[in-house]
Amino acid sequence: MFSETQLREAASYIYQHMSPTPQISWPQINQRVGCQVLVKHENHTPIGAFKARGGLTFARWLKQNHPEATGIVTATRGNHGQAQAFAATKAGLASVVVVPHGNSKEKNNAMRSFGAEVIEQGADFNEALLEVAKLAEQRKLFVVPPFHPQIMLGVASYALELFTAAPDLDRIYVPIGCGSGICGTITARDALGLKTEVIGVVSDQFPAAKLSFDSGRITESGPGSSFADGMAVRVPVPDAFAIYSKGAKRVITVNDDEVAEAARIYFSDTHNATEGAGAATLAAALQERDQLAGKKIGIVLSGGNIDSSAFSEILNGETPKG
């Protein structure tokens, strides 16, 4: 965990490369949820998602601690790869990103635009991940894991911004994928000495974080399918679980229909496009509306990188397939 001084120093570095994102209380969202809601707009970063922050702090750490490194390699379905390519280019490093076959063309093109060499390998993320070790050895590249303390340090800056603007939040809803978002939020809350409840949100198709939180031990979930691919994690990352298993109040599930409806609400009420994981926290707040009267809450809109075809389905009242 990091101190407030460390968090603010990391944030100061991040602001050399991107601006803080806004937290906005939208009247129509407030009416729907039945309380004051601050939406943390991480869809407004240079890559359209919160992970830009962790990419920057990781790249700085890599340059300082492994000056011999000339490039990085990582596996992704989208936002993580964009973040690492964005940060690596700024740090003067090469970046290679491995994606599974059939990955989103829009996300692949975005990664290339930030400077990545995109390689398609395997049928899913886990198979793509196997290729990373091979490429690291062949090309002498540094492997970027999905969760790392320095990634969490950077990501915590969004929570630092939100808590600084609204230290009186009763609770905050955060989506859980590999865990940097919820762990960064817990880290910032604790460093500032606040009492805000942190509620994790996962897809009911990928409930591993909830199963693990409720049982107190890492529990794998079975195969699932969800268009909210930012939460499509079947096994919690142990280092992340060690933090959110102690620091979160609870973890709740949302289904794809609820997430799609939340995405429609975001667009109709605020004209922000949101990816599945980004809409999940609004879905969770709507699910718990009956217990929120009189409270002041935060919801993290973690990213807006949804494929145009899937977003078109959502706006037509449908739920995209995973």
Side-chain angles (χ1 to χ4, degrees):
M1 303 291 275
F2 297 97
S3 68
E4 180 180 353
T5 299
Q6 290 172 307
L7 293 178
R8 294 199 181 279
E9 189 280 329
S12 179
Y13 171 73
I14 288 167
Y15 301 150
Q16 296 176 33
H17 302 285
M18 60 171 275
S19 301
T21 62
Q23 40 278 322
I24 301 175
S25 184
W26 299 93
Q28 292 183 86
I29 299 289
N30 293 341
Q31 290 169 12
R32 290 181 187 271
V33 179
C35 69
Q36 184 178 358
V37 181
L38 270 73
V39 179
K40 185 56 173 167
H41 279 281
E42 288 299 283
N43 57 320
H44 292 179
T45 75
I47 70 162
F50 76 100
K51 291 189 176 182
R53 300 169 182 271
L56 289 166
T57 46
F58 183 87
R60 180 179 68 161
W61 170 85
L62 182 61
K63 291 283 284 187
Q64 292 173 342
N65 291 273
H66 296 275
E68 75 284 358
T70 59
I72 56 100
V73 61
T74 194
T76 187
R77 290 285 302 274
N79 288 340
H80 173 72
Q82 289 182 61
Q84 292 303 321
F86 165 72
T89 296
K90 286 189 174 296
L93 298 167
S95 59
V96 178
V97 178
V98 185
V99 302
H101 288 292
N103 198 54
S104 161
K105 290 183 179 179
E106 292 179 23
K107 290 177 181 175
N108 290 353
N109 288 337
M111 286 182 268
R112 291 188 182 100
S113 74
F114 287 116
E117 176 188 350
V118 177
I119 296 174
E120 292 186 83
Q121 181 67 39
D124 57 22
F125 172 78
N126 288 336
E127 290 186 13
L129 195 59
L130 295 175
E131 185 69 11
V132 169
K134 296 178 185 176
L135 287 169
E137 178 65 25
Q138 291 171 1
R139 302 197 191 183
K140 307 303 179 187
L141 298 171
F142 196 94
V143 175
V144 183
F147 184 88
H148 186 278
Q150 288 295 318
I151 293 176
M152 185 188 77
L153 173 62
V155 167
S157 62
Y158 81 62
L160 183 67
E161 292 166 11
L162 179 56
F163 287 135
T164 299
D168 57 342
L169 289 179
D170 293 297
R171 68 176 62 166
I172 180 171
Y173 292 88
V174 187
I176 303 177
C178 290
S180 63
I182 191 168
C183 292
T185 300
I186 291 167
T187 298
R189 178 201 61 188
D190 292 350
L192 295 173
L194 303 178
K195 301 300 182 184
T196 308
E197 293 179 353
V198 177
I199 314 297
V201 183
V202 296
S203 167
D204 67 347
Q205 293 295 300
F206 294 91
K210 176 174 174 53
L211 296 173
S212 301
F213 184 89
D214 291 348
S215 67
R217 57 185 175 81
I218 290 178
T219 304
E220 181 176 354
S221 60
S225 177
S226 171
F227 79 92
D229 56 0
M231 302 186 294
V233 176
R234 291 177 55 187
V235 185
V237 176
D239 288 348
F241 178 69
I243 295 171
Y244 68 74
S245 64
K246 297 180 177 65
K249 179 71 173 179
R250 63 182 182 279
V251 178
I252 64 175
T253 61
V254 292
N255 63 46
D256 272 15
D257 288 341
E258 291 173 315
V259 173
E261 176 60 18
R264 280 188 286 274
I265 288 171
Y266 265 131
F267 193 74
S268 67
D269 291 3
T270 76
H271 289 108
N272 278 268
T274 175
E275 61 197 60
T281 53
L282 175 55
L286 290 167
Q287 188 185 107
E288 297 197 337
R289 187 181 193 281
D290 290 347
Q291 57 182 268
L292 294 176
K295 294 188 181 297
K296 183 176 182 180
I297 70 166
I299 54 177
V300 180
L301 199 174
S302 57
N305 295 328
I306 187 168
D307 284 358
S308 53
S309 58
F311 196 53
S312 178
E313 290 180 60
I314 287 172
L315 295 184
N316 286 328
E318 304 167 13
T319 298
K321 290 183 171 57

mmCIF file with all atom_site columns, all heavy atoms in Angstrom, residues 91-114:
data_model
loop_
_atom_site.group_PDB
_atom_site.id
_atom_site.type_symbol
_atom_site.label_atom_id
_atom_site.label_alt_id
_atom_site.label_comp_id
_atom_site.label_asym_id
_atom_site.label_entity_id
_atom_site.label_seq_id
_atom_site.pdbx_PDB_ins_code
_atom_site.Cartn_x
_atom_site.Cartn_y
_atom_site.Cartn_z
_atom_site.occupancy
_atom_site.B_iso_or_equiv
_atom_site.pdbx_formal_charge
_atom_site.auth_seq_id
_atom_site.auth_comp_id
_atom_site.auth_asym_id
_atom_site.auth_atom_id
_atom_site.pdbx_PDB_model_num
ATOM 1   N N   . ALA A 1 91  ? 7.594   6.803   -23.140 1.00 0.00 ? 91  ALA A N   1
ATOM 2   C CA  . ALA A 1 91  ? 8.853   6.509   -22.452 1.00 0.00 ? 91  ALA A CA  1
ATOM 3   C C   . ALA A 1 91  ? 9.964   6.102   -23.416 1.00 0.00 ? 91  ALA A C   1
ATOM 4   O O   . ALA A 1 91  ? 11.078  5.785   -22.976 1.00 0.00 ? 91  ALA A O   1
ATOM 5   C CB  . ALA A 1 91  ? 8.631   5.403   -21.424 1.00 0.00 ? 91  ALA A CB  1
ATOM 6   N N   . GLY A 1 92  ? 9.688   6.074   -24.704 1.00 0.00 ? 92  GLY A N   1
ATOM 7   C CA  . GLY A 1 92  ? 10.694  5.694   -25.682 1.00 0.00 ? 92  GLY A CA  1
ATOM 8   C C   . GLY A 1 92  ? 10.942  4.205   -25.760 1.00 0.00 ? 92  GLY A C   1
ATOM 9   O O   . GLY A 1 92  ? 12.021  3.762   -26.160 1.00 0.00 ? 92  GLY A O   1
ATOM 10  N N   . LEU A 1 93  ? 9.936   3.402   -25.385 1.00 0.00 ? 93  LEU A N   1
ATOM 11  C CA  . LEU A 1 93  ? 10.049  1.951   -25.398 1.00 0.00 ? 93  LEU A CA  1
ATOM 12  C C   . LEU A 1 93  ? 9.193   1.357   -26.509 1.00 0.00 ? 93  LEU A C   1
ATOM 13  O O   . LEU A 1 93  ? 8.138   1.898   -26.852 1.00 0.00 ? 93  LEU A O   1
ATOM 14  C CB  . LEU A 1 93  ? 9.579   1.367   -24.054 1.00 0.00 ? 93  LEU A CB  1
ATOM 15  C CG  . LEU A 1 93  ? 10.349  1.778   -22.806 1.00 0.00 ? 93  LEU A CG  1
ATOM 16  C CD1 . LEU A 1 93  ? 9.579   1.383   -21.556 1.00 0.00 ? 93  LEU A CD1 1
ATOM 17  C CD2 . LEU A 1 93  ? 11.735  1.137   -22.804 1.00 0.00 ? 93  LEU A CD2 1
ATOM 18  N N   . ALA A 1 94  ? 9.633   0.237   -27.040 1.00 0.00 ? 94  ALA A N   1
ATOM 19  C CA  . ALA A 1 94  ? 8.806   -0.503  -27.989 1.00 0.00 ? 94  ALA A CA  1
ATOM 20  C C   . ALA A 1 94  ? 7.715   -1.248  -27.225 1.00 0.00 ? 94  ALA A C   1
ATOM 21  O O   . ALA A 1 94  ? 7.878   -1.561  -26.036 1.00 0.00 ? 94  ALA A O   1
ATOM 22  C CB  . ALA A 1 94  ? 9.669   -1.499  -28.769 1.00 0.00 ? 94  ALA A CB  1
ATOM 23  N N   . SER A 1 95  ? 6.611   -1.535  -27.897 1.00 0.00 ? 95  SER A N   1
ATOM 24  C CA  . SER A 1 95  ? 5.548   -2.294  -27.225 1.00 0.00 ? 95  SER A CA  1
ATOM 25  C C   . SER A 1 95  ? 4.980   -3.338  -28.171 1.00 0.00 ? 95  SER A C   1
ATOM 26  O O   . SER A 1 95  ? 4.698   -3.054  -29.336 1.00 0.00 ? 95  SER A O   1
ATOM 27  C CB  . SER A 1 95  ? 4.428   -1.356  -26.749 1.00 0.00 ? 95  SER A CB  1
ATOM 28  O OG  . SER A 1 95  ? 3.851   -0.633  -27.815 1.00 0.00 ? 95  SER A OG  1
ATOM 29  N N   . VAL A 1 96  ? 4.849   -4.544  -27.648 1.00 0.00 ? 96  VAL A N   1
ATOM 30  C CA  . VAL A 1 96  ? 4.236   -5.650  -28.380 1.00 0.00 ? 96  VAL A CA  1
ATOM 31  C C   . VAL A 1 96  ? 3.040   -6.122  -27.556 1.00 0.00 ? 96  VAL A C   1
ATOM 32  O O   . VAL A 1 96  ? 3.164   -6.386  -26.359 1.00 0.00 ? 96  VAL A O   1
ATOM 33  C CB  . VAL A 1 96  ? 5.232   -6.816  -28.587 1.00 0.00 ? 96  VAL A CB  1
ATOM 34  C CG1 . VAL A 1 96  ? 4.551   -7.979  -29.302 1.00 0.00 ? 96  VAL A CG1 1
ATOM 35  C CG2 . VAL A 1 96  ? 6.451   -6.335  -29.366 1.00 0.00 ? 96  VAL A CG2 1
ATOM 36  N N   . VAL A 1 97  ? 1.888   -6.200  -28.197 1.00 0.00 ? 97  VAL A N   1
ATOM 37  C CA  . VAL A 1 97  ? 0.665   -6.588  -27.506 1.00 0.00 ? 97  VAL A CA  1
ATOM 38  C C   . VAL A 1 97  ? 0.084   -7.824  -28.180 1.00 0.00 ? 97  VAL A C   1
ATOM 39  O O   . VAL A 1 97  ? -0.128  -7.831  -29.399 1.00 0.00 ? 97  VAL A O   1
ATOM 40  C CB  . VAL A 1 97  ? -0.371  -5.444  -27.511 1.00 0.00 ? 97  VAL A CB  1
ATOM 41  C CG1 . VAL A 1 97  ? -1.649  -5.894  -26.827 1.00 0.00 ? 97  VAL A CG1 1
ATOM 42  C CG2 . VAL A 1 97  ? 0.189   -4.209  -26.822 1.00 0.00 ? 97  VAL A CG2 1
ATOM 43  N N   . VAL A 1 98  ? -0.153  -8.866  -27.388 1.00 0.00 ? 98  VAL A N   1
ATOM 44  C CA  . VAL A 1 98  ? -0.722  -10.104 -27.912 1.00 0.00 ? 98  VAL A CA  1
ATOM 45  C C   . VAL A 1 98  ? -2.216  -10.137 -27.597 1.00 0.00 ? 98  VAL A C   1
ATOM 46  O O   . VAL A 1 98  ? -2.625  -9.934  -26.446 1.00 0.00 ? 98  VAL A O   1
ATOM 47  C CB  . VAL A 1 98  ? -0.032  -11.343 -27.301 1.00 0.00 ? 98  VAL A CB  1
ATOM 48  C CG1 . VAL A 1 98  ? -0.568  -12.619 -27.950 1.00 0.00 ? 98  VAL A CG1 1
ATOM 49  C CG2 . VAL A 1 98  ? 1.481   -11.255 -27.478 1.00 0.00 ? 98  VAL A CG2 1
ATOM 50  N N   . VAL A 1 99  ? -3.015  -10.372 -28.628 1.00 0.00 ? 99  VAL A N   1
ATOM 51  C CA  . VAL A 1 99  ? -4.469  -10.463 -28.459 1.00 0.00 ? 99  VAL A CA  1
ATOM 52  C C   . VAL A 1 99  ? -4.943  -11.794 -29.015 1.00 0.00 ? 99  VAL A C   1
ATOM 53  O O   . VAL A 1 99  ? -4.283  -12.383 -29.890 1.00 0.00 ? 99  VAL A O   1
ATOM 54  C CB  . VAL A 1 99  ? -5.192  -9.305  -29.186 1.00 0.00 ? 99  VAL A CB  1
ATOM 55  C CG1 . VAL A 1 99  ? -4.721  -7.957  -28.673 1.00 0.00 ? 99  VAL A CG1 1
ATOM 56  C CG2 . VAL A 1 99  ? -5.009  -9.386  -30.699 1.00 0.00 ? 99  VAL A CG2 1
ATOM 57  N N   . PRO A 1 100 ? -6.060  -12.313 -28.533 1.00 0.00 ? 100 PRO A N   1
ATOM 58  C CA  . PRO A 1 100 ? -6.579  -13.557 -29.121 1.00 0.00 ? 100 PRO A CA  1
ATOM 59  C C   . PRO A 1 100 ? -7.132  -13.324 -30.524 1.00 0.00 ? 100 PRO A C   1
ATOM 60  O O   . PRO A 1 100 ? -7.511  -12.205 -30.881 1.00 0.00 ? 100 PRO A O   1
ATOM 61  C CB  . PRO A 1 100 ? -7.691  -13.967 -28.141 1.00 0.00 ? 100 PRO A CB  1
ATOM 62  C CG  . PRO A 1 100 ? -8.104  -12.694 -27.471 1.00 0.00 ? 100 PRO A CG  1
ATOM 63  C CD  . PRO A 1 100 ? -6.872  -11.856 -27.401 1.00 0.00 ? 100 PRO A CD  1
ATOM 64  N N   . HIS A 1 101 ? -7.180  -14.387 -31.326 1.00 0.00 ? 101 HIS A N   1
ATOM 65  C CA  . HIS A 1 101 ? -7.804  -14.295 -32.648 1.00 0.00 ? 101 HIS A CA  1
ATOM 66  C C   . HIS A 1 101 ? -9.259  -13.854 -32.493 1.00 0.00 ? 101 HIS A C   1
ATOM 67  O O   . HIS A 1 101 ? -9.949  -14.263 -31.556 1.00 0.00 ? 101 HIS A O   1
ATOM 68  C CB  . HIS A 1 101 ? -7.743  -15.648 -33.373 1.00 0.00 ? 101 HIS A CB  1
ATOM 69  C CG  . HIS A 1 101 ? -6.374  -16.019 -33.831 1.00 0.00 ? 101 HIS A CG  1
ATOM 70  N ND1 . HIS A 1 101 ? -5.717  -15.344 -34.831 1.00 0.00 ? 101 HIS A ND1 1
ATOM 71  C CD2 . HIS A 1 101 ? -5.523  -16.998 -33.420 1.00 0.00 ? 101 HIS A CD2 1
ATOM 72  C CE1 . HIS A 1 101 ? -4.528  -15.885 -35.032 1.00 0.00 ? 101 HIS A CE1 1
ATOM 73  N NE2 . HIS A 1 101 ? -4.380  -16.893 -34.187 1.00 0.00 ? 101 HIS A NE2 1
ATOM 74  N N   . GLY A 1 102 ? -9.691  -13.003 -33.409 1.00 0.00 ? 102 GLY A N   1
ATOM 75  C CA  . GLY A 1 102 ? -11.068 -12.529 -33.343 1.00 0.00 ? 102 GLY A CA  1
ATOM 76  C C   . GLY A 1 102 ? -11.265 -11.358 -32.404 1.00 0.00 ? 102 GLY A C   1
ATOM 77  O O   . GLY A 1 102 ? -12.399 -10.932 -32.168 1.00 0.00 ? 102 GLY A O   1
ATOM 78  N N   . ASN A 1 103 ? -10.166 -10.824 -31.858 1.00 0.00 ? 103 ASN A N   1
ATOM 79  C CA  . ASN A 1 103 ? -10.298 -9.669  -30.970 1.00 0.00 ? 103 ASN A CA  1
ATOM 80  C C   . ASN A 1 103 ? -10.853 -8.479  -31.758 1.00 0.00 ? 103 ASN A C   1
ATOM 81  O O   . ASN A 1 103 ? -10.757 -8.413  -32.981 1.00 0.00 ? 103 ASN A O   1
ATOM 82  C CB  . ASN A 1 103 ? -8.932  -9.314  -30.379 1.00 0.00 ? 103 ASN A CB  1
ATOM 83  C CG  . ASN A 1 103 ? -9.018  -8.438  -29.152 1.00 0.00 ? 103 ASN A CG  1
ATOM 84  O OD1 . ASN A 1 103 ? -9.707  -8.776  -28.197 1.00 0.00 ? 103 ASN A OD1 1
ATOM 85  N ND2 . ASN A 1 103 ? -8.333  -7.309  -29.167 1.00 0.00 ? 103 ASN A ND2 1
ATOM 86  N N   . SER A 1 104 ? -11.439 -7.543  -31.040 1.00 0.00 ? 104 SER A N   1
ATOM 87  C CA  . SER A 1 104 ? -12.045 -6.367  -31.650 1.00 0.00 ? 104 SER A CA  1
ATOM 88  C C   . SER A 1 104 ? -11.081 -5.647  -32.589 1.00 0.00 ? 104 SER A C   1
ATOM 89  O O   . SER A 1 104 ? -9.980  -5.262  -32.196 1.00 0.00 ? 104 SER A O   1
ATOM 90  C CB  . SER A 1 104 ? -12.488 -5.397  -30.553 1.00 0.00 ? 104 SER A CB  1
ATOM 91  O OG  . SER A 1 104 ? -12.681 -4.100  -31.064 1.00 0.00 ? 104 SER A OG  1
ATOM 92  N N   . LYS A 1 105 ? -11.495 -5.450  -33.833 1.00 0.00 ? 105 LYS A N   1
ATOM 93  C CA  . LYS A 1 105 ? -10.662 -4.720  -34.789 1.00 0.00 ? 105 LYS A CA  1
ATOM 94  C C   . LYS A 1 105 ? -10.472 -3.272  -34.346 1.00 0.00 ? 105 LYS A C   1
ATOM 95  O O   . LYS A 1 105 ? -9.400  -2.690  -34.535 1.00 0.00 ? 105 LYS A O   1
ATOM 96  C CB  . LYS A 1 105 ? -11.291 -4.782  -36.178 1.00 0.00 ? 105 LYS A CB  1
ATOM 97  C CG  . LYS A 1 105 ? -11.238 -6.153  -36.830 1.00 0.00 ? 105 LYS A CG  1
ATOM 98  C CD  . LYS A 1 105 ? -11.823 -6.129  -38.233 1.00 0.00 ? 105 LYS A CD  1
ATOM 99  C CE  . LYS A 1 105 ? -11.745 -7.507  -38.876 1.00 0.00 ? 105 LYS A CE  1
ATOM 100 N NZ  . LYS A 1 105 ? -12.348 -7.497  -40.247 1.00 0.00 ? 105 LYS A NZ  1
ATOM 101 N N   . GLU A 1 106 ? -11.516 -2.699  -33.754 1.00 0.00 ? 106 GLU A N   1
ATOM 102 C CA  . GLU A 1 106 ? -11.421 -1.315  -33.305 1.00 0.00 ? 106 GLU A CA  1
ATOM 103 C C   . GLU A 1 106 ? -10.373 -1.173  -32.199 1.00 0.00 ? 106 GLU A C   1
ATOM 104 O O   . GLU A 1 106 ? -9.587  -0.227  -32.198 1.00 0.00 ? 106 GLU A O   1
ATOM 105 C CB  . GLU A 1 106 ? -12.787 -0.824  -32.827 1.00 0.00 ? 106 GLU A CB  1
ATOM 106 C CG  . GLU A 1 106 ? -13.808 -0.699  -33.943 1.00 0.00 ? 106 GLU A CG  1
ATOM 107 C CD  . GLU A 1 106 ? -15.162 -0.225  -33.459 1.00 0.00 ? 106 GLU A CD  1
ATOM 108 O OE1 . GLU A 1 106 ? -15.229 0.413   -32.378 1.00 0.00 ? 106 GLU A OE1 1
ATOM 109 O OE2 . GLU A 1 106 ? -16.162 -0.484  -34.147 1.00 0.00 ? 106 GLU A OE2 1
ATOM 110 N N   . LYS A 1 107 ? -10.366 -2.133  -31.262 1.00 0.00 ? 107 LYS A N   1
ATOM 111 C CA  . LYS A 1 107 ? -9.383  -2.072  -30.182 1.00 0.00 ? 107 LYS A CA  1
ATOM 112 C C   . LYS A 1 107 ? -7.974  -2.354  -30.704 1.00 0.00 ? 107 LYS A C   1
ATOM 113 O O   . LYS A 1 107 ? -7.005  -1.726  -30.266 1.00 0.00 ? 107 LYS A O   1
ATOM 114 C CB  . LYS A 1 107 ? -9.768  -3.047  -29.068 1.00 0.00 ? 107 LYS A CB  1
ATOM 115 C CG  . LYS A 1 107 ? -11.015 -2.598  -28.307 1.00 0.00 ? 107 LYS A CG  1
ATOM 116 C CD  . LYS A 1 107 ? -11.437 -3.604  -27.263 1.00 0.00 ? 107 LYS A CD  1
ATOM 117 C CE  . LYS A 1 107 ? -12.704 -3.100  -26.545 1.00 0.00 ? 107 LYS A CE  1
ATOM 118 N NZ  . LYS A 1 107 ? -13.243 -4.086  -25.598 1.00 0.00 ? 107 LYS A NZ  1
ATOM 119 N N   . ASN A 1 108 ? -7.858  -3.303  -31.630 1.00 0.00 ? 108 ASN A N   1
ATOM 120 C CA  . ASN A 1 108 ? -6.547  -3.582  -32.222 1.00 0.00 ? 108 ASN A CA  1
ATOM 121 C C   . ASN A 1 108 ? -6.008  -2.339  -32.938 1.00 0.00 ? 108 ASN A C   1
ATOM 122 O O   . ASN A 1 108 ? -4.827  -1.993  -32.807 1.00 0.00 ? 108 ASN A O   1
ATOM 123 C CB  . ASN A 1 108 ? -6.646  -4.735  -33.212 1.00 0.00 ? 108 ASN A CB  1
ATOM 124 C CG  . ASN A 1 108 ? -6.898  -6.076  -32.539 1.00 0.00 ? 108 ASN A CG  1
ATOM 125 O OD1 . ASN A 1 108 ? -6.881  -6.178  -31.310 1.00 0.00 ? 108 ASN A OD1 1
ATOM 126 N ND2 . ASN A 1 108 ? -7.152  -7.091  -33.336 1.00 0.00 ? 108 ASN A ND2 1
ATOM 127 N N   . ASN A 1 109 ? -6.872  -1.661  -33.685 1.00 0.00 ? 109 ASN A N   1
ATOM 128 C CA  . ASN A 1 109 ? -6.443  -0.448  -34.391 1.00 0.00 ? 109 ASN A CA  1
ATOM 129 C C   . ASN A 1 109 ? -6.046  0.650   -33.419 1.00 0.00 ? 109 ASN A C   1
ATOM 130 O O   . ASN A 1 109 ? -5.096  1.402   -33.664 1.00 0.00 ? 109 ASN A O   1
ATOM 131 C CB  . ASN A 1 109 ? -7.556  0.038   -35.318 1.00 0.00 ? 109 ASN A CB  1
ATOM 132 C CG  . ASN A 1 109 ? -7.732  -0.845  -36.534 1.00 0.00 ? 109 ASN A CG  1
ATOM 133 O OD1 . ASN A 1 109 ? -6.810  -1.560  -36.927 1.00 0.00 ? 109 ASN A OD1 1
ATOM 134 N ND2 . ASN A 1 109 ? -8.907  -0.814  -37.142 1.00 0.00 ? 109 ASN A ND2 1
ATOM 135 N N   . ALA A 1 110 ? -6.772  0.747   -32.310 1.00 0.00 ? 110 ALA A N   1
ATOM 136 C CA  . ALA A 1 110 ? -6.430  1.757   -31.303 1.00 0.00 ? 110 ALA A CA  1
ATOM 137 C C   . ALA A 1 110 ? -5.059  1.480   -30.710 1.00 0.00 ? 110 ALA A C   1
ATOM 138 O O   . ALA A 1 110 ? -4.244  2.397   -30.535 1.00 0.00 ? 110 ALA A O   1
ATOM 139 C CB  . ALA A 1 110 ? -7.488  1.782   -30.203 1.00 0.00 ? 110 ALA A CB  1
ATOM 140 N N   . MET A 1 111 ? -4.764  0.201   -30.423 1.00 0.00 ? 111 MET A N   1
ATOM 141 C CA  . MET A 1 111 ? -3.450  -0.143  -29.874 1.00 0.00 ? 111 MET A CA  1
ATOM 142 C C   . MET A 1 111 ? -2.344  0.195   -30.861 1.00 0.00 ? 111 MET A C   1
ATOM 143 O O   . MET A 1 111 ? -1.298  0.719   -30.485 1.00 0.00 ? 111 MET A O   1
ATOM 144 C CB  . MET A 1 111 ? -3.419  -1.625  -29.483 1.00 0.00 ? 111 MET A CB  1
ATOM 145 C CG  . MET A 1 111 ? -4.209  -1.933  -28.219 1.00 0.00 ? 111 MET A CG  1
ATOM 146 S SD  . MET A 1 111 ? -4.129  -3.667  -27.720 1.00 0.00 ? 111 MET A SD  1
ATOM 147 C CE  . MET A 1 111 ? -5.560  -4.347  -28.543 1.00 0.00 ? 111 MET A CE  1
ATOM 148 N N   . ARG A 1 112 ? -2.583  -0.099  -32.120 1.00 0.00 ? 112 ARG A N   1
ATOM 149 C CA  . ARG A 1 112 ? -1.574  0.244   -33.140 1.00 0.00 ? 112 ARG A CA  1
ATOM 150 C C   . ARG A 1 112 ? -1.371  1.751   -33.220 1.00 0.00 ? 112 ARG A C   1
ATOM 151 O O   . ARG A 1 112 ? -0.243  2.225   -33.405 1.00 0.00 ? 112 ARG A O   1
ATOM 152 C CB  . ARG A 1 112 ? -2.015  -0.309  -34.498 1.00 0.00 ? 112 ARG A CB  1
ATOM 153 C CG  . ARG A 1 112 ? -1.986  -1.830  -34.592 1.00 0.00 ? 112 ARG A CG  1
ATOM 154 C CD  . ARG A 1 112 ? -2.248  -2.302  -36.007 1.00 0.00 ? 112 ARG A CD  1
ATOM 155 N NE  . ARG A 1 112 ? -2.264  -3.774  -36.076 1.00 0.00 ? 112 ARG A NE  1
ATOM 156 C CZ  . ARG A 1 112 ? -3.383  -4.503  -36.104 1.00 0.00 ? 112 ARG A CZ  1
ATOM 157 N NH1 . ARG A 1 112 ? -4.573  -3.903  -36.106 1.00 0.00 ? 112 ARG A NH1 1
ATOM 158 N NH2 . ARG A 1 112 ? -3.310  -5.817  -36.148 1.00 0.00 ? 112 ARG A NH2 1
ATOM 159 N N   . SER A 1 113 ? -2.454  2.503   -33.085 1.00 0.00 ? 113 SER A N   1
ATOM 160 C CA  . SER A 1 113 ? -2.331  3.957   -33.183 1.00 0.00 ? 113 SER A CA  1
ATOM 161 C C   . SER A 1 113 ? -1.475  4.533   -32.063 1.00 0.00 ? 113 SER A C   1
ATOM 162 O O   . SER A 1 113 ? -0.861  5.590   -32.225 1.00 0.00 ? 113 SER A O   1
ATOM 163 C CB  . SER A 1 113 ? -3.721  4.607   -33.167 1.00 0.00 ? 113 SER A CB  1
ATOM 164 O OG  . SER A 1 113 ? -4.304  4.598   -31.875 1.00 0.00 ? 113 SER A OG  1
ATOM 165 N N   . PHE A 1 114 ? -1.424  3.848   -30.922 1.00 0.00 ? 114 PHE A N   1
ATOM 166 C CA  . PHE A 1 114 ? -0.582  4.296   -29.810 1.00 0.00 ? 114 PHE A CA  1
ATOM 167 C C   . PHE A 1 114 ? 0.845   3.760   -29.911 1.00 0.00 ? 114 PHE A C   1
ATOM 168 O O   . PHE A 1 114 ? 1.666   4.023   -29.042 1.00 0.00 ? 114 PHE A O   1
ATOM 169 C CB  . PHE A 1 114 ? -1.204  3.899   -28.474 1.00 0.00 ? 114 PHE A CB  1
ATOM 170 C CG  . PHE A 1 114 ? -2.413  4.702   -28.105 1.00 0.00 ? 114 PHE A CG  1
ATOM 171 C CD1 . PHE A 1 114 ? -3.655  4.104   -27.995 1.00 0.00 ? 114 PHE A CD1 1
ATOM 172 C CD2 . PHE A 1 114 ? -2.316  6.065   -27.875 1.00 0.00 ? 114 PHE A CD2 1
ATOM 173 C CE1 . PHE A 1 114 ? -4.780  4.851   -27.657 1.00 0.00 ? 114 PHE A CE1 1
ATOM 174 C CE2 . PHE A 1 114 ? -3.429  6.817   -27.540 1.00 0.00 ? 114 PHE A CE2 1
ATOM 175 C CZ  . PHE A 1 114 ? -4.669  6.209   -27.438 1.00 0.00 ? 114 PHE A CZ  1
#
